[in-house]
Amino acid sequence: MEQLSGKPKPTRVRYGMLALVFVNVAINYLDRTNLAVAASSLSTDLELSPAQLGWIFSAFGWAYAALQIPGGLIADRFGPRVLYAFCLITWSLVTVAQGFVRGFASLFALRLATGTFEAPSYPINNRVVTSWFPDSERASAIAMYVSGQFIGLAFLTPVLVTVQYYAGWKGLFITTGLVGLVWGIVWYLFYRDPLEHQGVNQAELDYIEDGGGVFRAKDKTAAKVNIWKWANVKQVFSSRTLWGVYIGQFSVNASLWFFLTWFPTYLVKYRGMDFIKSGYLASVPFLAACAGLLLSGFLSDRFVRRGTSVSVARKTPIIVGLLLSVSIIGANYTNDTTLIIFFMALAFFGSGMALISWVFVSILSPRNLIGLTGGVFNFMGNLASIVVPIVIGYLAKDGNFEPALIFIGTIGFIGACSYIFLVGKIERVVTQGIQEVTID
């Protein structure tokens, strides 16, 4: 079909690639949160204390956070098709193995391995979106694929609870691992980069590239840049603006990792809810987070299209979202189940709004260091996956969960302050040297 101008109409292959990433993210978080669903039963069978359970929850984060920078470098070096298939298959095999653990040490080691093989996943996601989408669509695209973690968990958490109810926690790990193995093959068969996809036409390539999409690094005629240099790592640690978004991402992830780890246990053990009922109630905050994420992404892109400055359009939803996440503290002041879930949902709605923060990696990264910058960004954010589960385990060890919720709310407030006072004018960091920015 042709437009009135006679020029070919751009194809929409990019949306198919985004759909594949969406499923990747859903499976990624399925294999992160299956432990949270299994925790109340597993901790009893393996005789784990709350403090030990906190360390188990954090094990994923130790490896995942530590390998974000190498993962980002690997994402810059290898294509998403092969690398993502490898990661999906390996972390899924490790997930299956978790169904056969016998104690603290083996489970801790396997959760470390899960974090190891998932480490490149988000730098790859960001590389895919940066390659396939122009700047004007990127926040929406990020919101769509990140929503996979919430939509998947919202609708699958009751399924996971049901699987565990009938097959036990061992069956839960085996089932979720097998799903990832199958999908790893599907990804390899169907994903291609823009210059390699047979279904994309030149009009879509021009639309993406003219709008700021970056995919020429895969072009053999493009200049080669050596990313394996210490100077490159130093560069992405030297920008005040980047440090602002790093701190903000830690704050966003603090709330996220509470919900991915302790939330089901909080409902069952600290609020006395029925296990099956808690599975359905736990889905409500995930749906709220998804709504917040999608709303934030589409509003942010709409502001950009209307001519609002990038700084205002991208930062405002994140700041509002982080401030809303502080409302989690409200759950400390009620024993009513409906109000508890309301405060949890409102807080996670805010955290969802703030999760479009990945758009800053696309906007700020040096063009040839998108994977590395994404790796550093995700490393700083995922330090929360280590700190939060352990701190909560110790704060709640005497049976009182209130200090833990105050801890989560406080971190959210710090994140909002980081975006308000540290993140300045949004400009891309150039490869030749740091481009200084000034506060709006």
Side-chain angles (χ1 to χ4, degrees):
M1 182 180 297
E2 294 189 352
Q3 296 174 325
L4 294 177
S5 62
K7 295 182 179 180
K9 185 177 181 179
T11 50
R12 295 177 177 269
V13 174
R14 61 191 182 280
Y15 298 116
M17 299 301 99
L18 182 62
L20 293 175
V21 175
F22 174 92
V23 178
N24 287 356
V25 171
I27 292 175
N28 186 302
Y29 274 80
L30 195 67
D31 291 335
R32 296 188 195 192
T33 199
N34 52 13
L35 178 62
V37 174
S40 58
S41 176
L42 179 148
S43 61
T44 299
D45 290 350
L46 300 184
E47 299 181 346
L48 301 175
S49 69
Q52 286 179 310
L53 188 58
W55 281 94
I56 292 292
F57 280 143
S58 77
F60 174 95
W62 286 97
Y64 187 80
L67 293 174
Q68 282 307 293
I69 296 175
L73 289 167
I74 291 170
D76 280 329
R77 175 64 179 83
F78 298 99
R81 183 189 179 202
V82 173
L83 182 58
Y84 225 142
F86 172 80
C87 291
L88 276 160
I89 290 171
T90 50
W91 91 55
S92 297
L93 287 172
V94 172
T95 299
V96 171
Q98 289 170 50
F100 302 93
V101 297
R102 294 180 178 273
F104 174 88
S106 57
L107 182 56
F108 188 88
L110 287 172
R111 294 303 290 183
L112 281 173
T114 305
T116 297
F117 292 119
E118 286 197 21
S121 56
Y122 262 71
I124 300 172
N125 294 340
N126 192 64
R127 175 172 171 175
V128 170
V129 169
T130 304
S131 298
W132 274 104
F133 286 85
D135 291 339
S136 62
E137 296 182 3
R138 199 162 296 149
S140 299
I142 290 171
M144 287 299 297
Y145 82 68
V146 175
S147 72
Q149 69 194 48
F150 300 124
I151 293 176
L153 294 177
F155 289 103
L156 292 178
T157 295
V159 175
L160 295 180
V161 169
T162 303
V163 170
Q164 178 173 319
Y165 183 79
Y166 288 104
W169 58 268
K170 294 183 179 181
L172 175 64
F173 285 120
I174 293 170
T175 300
T176 51
L178 290 176
V179 170
L181 284 172
V182 173
W183 183 254
I185 298 171
V186 173
W187 167 266
Y188 181 79
L189 291 175
F190 289 97
Y191 178 80
R192 297 292 188 279
D193 282 334
L195 294 176
E196 299 171 349
H197 201 291
Q198 294 182 354
V200 66
N201 66 5
Q202 188 61 45
E204 184 174 14
L205 292 176
D206 291 342
Y207 173 72
I208 294 168
E209 190 167 31
D210 292 345
V214 181
F215 54 78
R216 292 293 174 183
K218 290 291 290 180
D219 190 344
K220 294 180 180 179
T221 64
K224 300 295 183 180
V225 176
N226 179 18
I227 61 171
W228 301 90
K229 296 193 303 182
W230 174 249
N232 292 333
V233 177
K234 181 180 178 181
Q235 184 177 40
V236 297
F237 274 107
S238 302
S239 166
R240 175 179 174 176
T241 296
L242 285 176
W243 269 105
V245 298
Y246 295 158
I247 295 170
Q249 190 67 2
F250 179 93
S251 301
V252 173
N253 278 4
S255 176
L256 174 63
W257 277 94
F258 161 71
F259 283 96
L260 291 178
T261 56
W262 280 101
F263 182 49
T265 302
Y266 167 71
L267 295 181
V268 174
K269 288 194 172 183
Y270 294 88
R271 287 299 190 170
M273 297 182 191
D274 174 75
F275 178 70
I276 293 293
K277 181 181 179 181
S278 71
Y280 288 91
L281 291 176
S283 69
V284 176
F286 287 109
L287 286 173
C290 180
L293 173 63
L294 294 176
L295 175 66
S296 180
F298 288 117
L299 283 179
S300 182
D301 276 349
R302 186 174 182 181
F303 290 151
V304 169
R305 288 193 292 269
R306 287 188 170 187
T308 305
S309 73
V310 173
S311 295
V312 173
R314 300 310 194 195
K315 288 192 293 184
T316 301
I318 296 174
I319 294 169
V320 172
L322 285 167
L323 291 174
L324 281 176
S325 73
V326 180
S327 64
I328 196 172
I329 299 173
N332 285 338
Y333 301 97
T334 180
N335 291 318
D336 182 82
T337 298
T338 301
L339 287 176
I340 291 170
I341 298 301
F342 168 76
F343 282 118
M344 293 290 162
L346 180 61
F348 214 17
F349 175 85
S351 296
M353 288 186 67
L355 272 171
I356 65 162
S357 50
W358 266 97
V359 75
F360 287 110
V361 177
S362 300
I363 296 172
L364 297 171
S365 302
R367 287 186 176 271
N368 294 297
L369 299 176
I370 292 171
L372 173 60
T373 308
V376 174
F377 175 81
N378 218 20
F379 164 75
M380 300 299 291
N382 276 282
L383 290 177
S385 67
I386 301 171
V387 174
V388 169
I390 294 175
V391 171
I392 290 178
Y394 283 101
L395 290 175
K397 67 179 180 179
D398 295 325
N400 181 10
F401 214 87
E402 292 183 6
L405 296 187
I406 294 172
F407 168 67
I408 298 299
T410 301
I411 294 178
F413 181 75
I414 291 172
C417 291
S418 178
Y419 271 97
I420 293 170
F421 298 110
L422 285 181
V423 179
K425 185 178 180 181
I426 307 302
E427 295 177 345
R428 186 179 298 278
V429 175
V430 295
T431 304
Q432 290 76 15
I434 297 299
Q435 182 174 345
E436 296 295 335
V437 298
T438 57
I439 298 298
D440 285 345

